[in-house]
Amino acid sequence: HLSIRRQRQMCIRDSVISVFAWMAGLFYLPRLYVYHSQVAPGDVRSELFKVMERRLLKAIMNPAMIASYVFGILVVLTPGVIDWTAGWWHLKMAGIAALTWCHMDLARALKGFAADQRPRSERGWRILNEVPTLALIVIVVMVIAKPF
């Protein structure tokens, strides 16, 4: 029988691990898309990028995102973890929404690359590559500082 405190600690631990894995993918997949955009469709390197991108999304990012949501929800449902009258958690949720939007956009682009399309310019991928970083900054500041 685990105490509520111990269960909360385990959920927080698993949440942090899951988010780290998810963030790694959110940082790396747009970078792969930058490089993929630089090679011609049908090129042997393009085919290699397709395999790398698919494996990253399906084997690491999707499970990590799901685990992040599951453990995050379990933490939030623990009584006393969040002061629902505080405002910081709204901005944290906006950051999580930005990460989720980015993930879904990257997943949609995977289908385009698989069909030898180029869903966005190289510059567009470089810009999108900054979204997870900005969202992460917002989330960490809100969780640590709880400014409002």
Side-chain angles (χ1 to χ4, degrees):
H1 168 69
L2 293 174
S3 70
I4 294 213
R5 182 175 178 263
R6 181 71 178 134
Q7 289 174 356
R8 184 183 73 217
Q9 288 173 338
M10 291 171 58
C11 285
I12 291 171
R13 177 202 63 202
D14 294 343
S15 175
V16 169
I17 291 168
S18 301
V19 170
F20 267 88
W22 188 24
M23 291 305 302
L26 288 170
F27 291 145
Y28 189 46
L29 190 54
R31 179 58 41 192
L32 286 176
Y33 288 167
V34 167
Y35 300 141
H36 197 159
S37 296
Q38 295 171 346
V39 299
D43 185 289
V44 67
R45 294 170 296 172
S46 179
E47 299 307 309
L48 178 60
F49 281 124
K50 289 178 187 180
V51 171
M52 293 169 63
E53 294 156 358
R54 185 184 75 252
R55 287 181 179 166
L56 177 61
L57 183 71
K58 303 289 185 184
I60 296 172
M61 292 176 65
N62 285 346
M65 181 185 73
I66 292 165
S68 295
Y69 267 92
V70 168
F71 292 119
I73 289 168
L74 288 173
V75 170
V76 166
L77 292 177
T78 304
V81 171
I82 291 189
D83 174 7
W84 296 104
T85 63
W88 64 268
W89 67 271
H90 294 95
L91 201 49
K92 177 190 175 186
M93 293 305 293
I96 293 169
L99 293 178
T100 304
W101 170 84
C102 190
H103 182 106
M104 296 306 168
D105 189 62
L106 293 169
R108 184 175 52 251
L110 181 77
K111 294 176 185 173
F113 277 111
D116 286 327
Q117 301 165 352
R118 296 298 181 257
R120 185 175 280 132
S121 70
E122 182 182 330
R123 184 174 185 273
W125 291 119
R126 290 181 192 279
I127 292 169
L128 182 69
N129 200 28
E130 303 307 321
V131 172
T133 303
L134 296 173
L136 179 64
I137 291 168
V138 168
I139 291 167
V140 169
V141 168
M142 291 304 109
V143 170
I144 301 298
K146 295 181 176 71
F148 48 88

